[in-house]
Amino acid sequence: MNNRFAVILAAGQGTRMKSRLYKVLHTVCGKPMVQHVVDQISKVGVDETVVVVGHGAEKVKEQLGDGVTYVLQGEQLGTGHAVMQADSLLEDKEGVTIVLCGDTPLITKETMDSLLLFHEEQKAKATILTAETSDPTGYGRIVRNDQGLVQRIVEHKDATIEERKITEINTGTYCFDNQALFAALKHVGNKNVQGEYYLPDVIEILKSNDELIAAYQTANFDETLGVNDRVALASAETIMKKRINEAHMRNGVTIIDPSNTYIGADVLIGMDTIIKPGTILTGKSFIGESCIIGPNTEIIDSAVGNNTSIKQSVVSSSEIGDDVAVGPFAHIRPHSCIGDEAKIGNFVEVKKSTFGKGSKASHLSYIGDAIIGNDVNLGCGSITVNYDGKNKHLTKVEDGAFVGCNSNLIAPVTIGKNSYVAAGSTITDDVPENALAIARARQTVKEEYVKNLNKK
């Protein structure tokens, strides 16, 4: 197999997006567009991926990390000019280069694989990825000869009436013989209205040298969608969402209402899990088997075990075990770990805490900066008072403890194993094992108080 290289064009600001965020960093199903492209090409397996950056270079680098090589297009002078920036890295290397746009988030590994294989089989100097569309307005048309070979690409504005009837369009993705590409780029001019260097001109240069130009037509026009404005961004989101949801359903996940379920591109879900309407799963979340998630639940960058139910709740950057019940209206904040068979009930908030196996906080509690042992019961309105105005402090509730309703545990404090805290207590000192702690004012009853009050 030939050496393979990739050049991803990600330098444009994207003025039509009307955004302070650089175009390729706008997200589709929770992931920046350029990250989708890089992730897909990484699955193909190329020897080097070069990302051409310009506007927002540091932000793009921050997103993509060290897995790719960067070149800077300081002044945006067209697609040909962008690829030229990679010449010092690639021009002398033998092999095949695939050129991709960073604003085409829907393109898949399978299409890239097919394009590269077709290019190599045809022994072409250049291969254009094309697609059929019922409305080719604005796209460059692929003009073929009687043998089906590519004669040229004609832009919409330059096409004749007959050429505008052609429905096979140029998608802007190409494969090239690498050395032929960079040799031809040296002859690309900028004598056009925009004064830019266009990559499609390489096709004309190679054609004039009697080199073979091929075209591979993808069966899925949607994959070729380039996102230039918010309308196209929404279209890409809709297409990607449908693709992701269908893949999960084919893998054994039940999605009750796919049109109202939003699942990120990197989310994993086990079979026989049921996803109810209004659910949003994002980041690198993992949902186990036979779970019930939703309705109206958001899970972000979290891991959920098997046979767990989470409804009308939010979970962020946390771990939830097997056979757990969460919700309704619970909030699991970052760095929390909920053990197997636990229950986090309605209007319970957990933050940066460990909650042990079989423990319960059934309603109206705040558990922050705490280590809750196994088989603990936190009664309604139990609060770990973790913040003194300057610092956060740790609360420990050991195995088997029972904390009564409306109890305040003033951290730092430890509630010992199998101990009891009476309802309504404010605990400021450690409670030993097997003890009962009562920390509330003794009840006083003033008889005839109301009658005496009224006499006044």
Side-chain angles (χ1 to χ4, degrees):
M1 186 178 72
N2 291 323
N3 295 325
R4 289 177 170 180
F5 312 102
V7 175
I8 298 174
L9 309 183
Q13 185 174 12
T15 55
R16 281 182 282 174
M17 297 295 287
K18 292 182 170 59
S19 174
R20 294 182 182 87
L21 181 66
Y22 301 105
K23 181 172 72 167
V24 296
L25 294 178
H26 281 266
T27 61
V28 174
C29 289
K31 182 187 291 187
M33 293 191 287
V34 69
Q35 188 72 66
H36 279 289
V37 178
V38 169
D39 288 351
Q40 291 300 309
I41 196 64
S42 69
K43 295 176 184 177
V44 171
V46 294
D47 297 278
E48 185 171 8
T49 297
V50 179
V51 178
V52 183
V53 294
H55 289 291
E58 293 307 314
K59 292 292 185 181
V60 174
K61 291 179 181 180
E62 182 181 326
Q63 171 62 40
L64 298 180
D66 299 329
V68 299
T69 303
Y70 301 95
V71 294
L72 179 66
Q73 185 186 20
E75 188 177 6
Q76 279 67 60
L77 296 176
T79 52
H81 180 257
V83 178
M84 287 178 197
Q85 309 314 303
D87 59 358
S88 62
L89 297 174
L90 299 178
E91 67 173 339
D92 295 328
K93 295 181 180 180
E94 293 184 358
V96 175
T97 293
I98 182 171
V99 179
L100 302 151
C101 297
D103 61 359
T104 55
L106 299 172
I107 194 165
T108 63
K109 168 199 179 287
E110 290 74 20
T111 294
M112 296 178 192
D113 270 333
S114 297
L115 174 62
L116 284 160
L117 182 61
F118 181 83
H119 173 82
E120 290 165 348
E121 288 176 344
Q122 296 295 309
K123 296 181 170 58
K125 289 297 182 182
T127 301
I128 308 157
L129 181 66
T130 72
E132 286 280 346
T133 177
S134 58
D135 182 11
T137 304
Y139 289 97
R141 309 303 205 278
I142 303 299
V143 181
R144 296 178 183 260
N145 62 20
D146 294 338
Q147 287 76 44
L149 299 176
V150 176
Q151 283 189 310
R152 65 185 186 280
I153 303 171
V154 58
E155 296 303 318
H156 178 87
K157 63 181 183 300
D158 300 322
T160 65
I161 294 175
E162 287 302 310
E163 288 171 338
R164 290 189 179 189
K165 294 178 182 178
I166 297 171
T167 56
E168 185 181 17
I169 58 96
N170 175 22
T171 68
T173 295
Y174 308 88
C175 277
F176 295 98
D177 174 278
N178 185 67
Q179 291 180 335
L181 166 64
F182 285 98
L185 280 171
K186 298 182 187 304
H187 300 285
V188 172
N190 66 340
K191 292 182 179 179
N192 51 62
V193 175
Q194 284 75 26
E196 296 184 348
Y197 300 86
Y198 295 134
L199 187 58
D201 288 352
V202 169
I203 303 296
E204 295 298 324
I205 292 169
L206 295 174
K207 185 71 177 174
S208 68
N209 293 330
D210 295 322
E211 302 288 5
L212 176 61
I213 309 300
Y216 174 77
Q217 186 178 115
T218 177
N220 188 350
F221 172 75
D222 287 344
E223 285 194 28
T224 70
L225 177 67
V227 174
N228 292 312
D229 58 25
R230 307 289 182 130
V231 175
L233 185 68
S235 296
E237 180 87 15
T238 299
I239 295 166
M240 179 74 78
K241 179 168 74 75
K242 184 174 184 288
R243 179 193 295 175
I244 290 170
N245 288 354
E246 287 181 355
H248 285 296
M249 288 187 283
R250 291 191 179 98
N251 287 330
V253 177
T254 296
I255 301 179
I256 301 297
D257 185 359
S259 63
N260 287 299
T261 301
Y262 301 84
I263 301 174
D266 295 326
V267 174
L268 301 175
I269 308 175
M271 67 179 184
D272 291 324
T273 283
I274 299 171
I275 309 295
K276 294 187 175 182
T279 293
I280 302 172
L281 309 176
T282 58
K284 296 190 179 295
S285 292
F286 171 81
I287 311 298
E289 297 183 358
S290 301
C291 295
I292 299 176
I293 308 297
N296 302 318
T297 290
E298 184 174 12
I299 299 176
I300 308 155
D301 283 318
S302 296
V304 178
N306 301 322
N307 303 301
T308 286
S309 170
I310 304 175
K311 55 185 177 181
Q312 285 129 338
S313 297
V314 176
V315 180
S316 302
S317 302
S318 294
E319 297 180 12
I320 297 177
D322 298 338
D323 302 292
V324 175
V326 176
F329 312 117
H331 188 184
I332 311 297
R333 290 171 56 190
H335 309 299
S336 295
C337 182
I338 311 301
D340 297 344
E341 302 171 25
K343 180 180 180 181
I344 303 294
N346 52 295
F347 302 104
V348 173
E349 181 177 357
V350 183
K351 189 273 292 186
K352 200 177 181 181
S353 296
T354 300
F355 199 81
K357 180 179 180 180
S359 292
K360 299 177 181 178
S362 295
H363 26 236
L364 298 164
S365 292
Y366 172 71
I367 305 153
D369 299 284
I371 299 174
I372 309 299
N374 299 330
D375 299 311
V376 169
N377 183 85
L378 297 181
C380 178
S382 298
I383 304 295
T384 61
V385 185
N386 58 331
Y387 185 48
D388 64 7
K390 292 184 178 180
N391 299 302
K392 301 288 179 70
H393 300 280
L394 181 67
T395 299
K396 294 183 181 179
V397 181
E398 296 180 346
D399 295 351
F402 185 100
V403 178
C405 295
N406 294 318
S407 295
N408 298 307
L409 310 180
I410 310 297
V413 71
T414 297
I415 309 302
K417 187 175 180 181
N418 298 319
S419 61
Y420 278 69
V421 172
S425 294
T426 294
I427 302 299
T428 57
D429 299 315
D430 292 349
V431 179
E433 292 186 14
N434 301 306
L436 168 64
I438 304 173
R440 60 191 183 210
R442 191 177 292 273
Q443 181 173 323
T444 300
V445 177
K446 296 185 178 182
E447 297 185 7
E448 304 297 326
Y449 174 79
V450 176
K451 289 183 179 179
N452 294 331
L453 182 65
N454 290 337
K455 289 178 182 179
K456 296 179 181 180

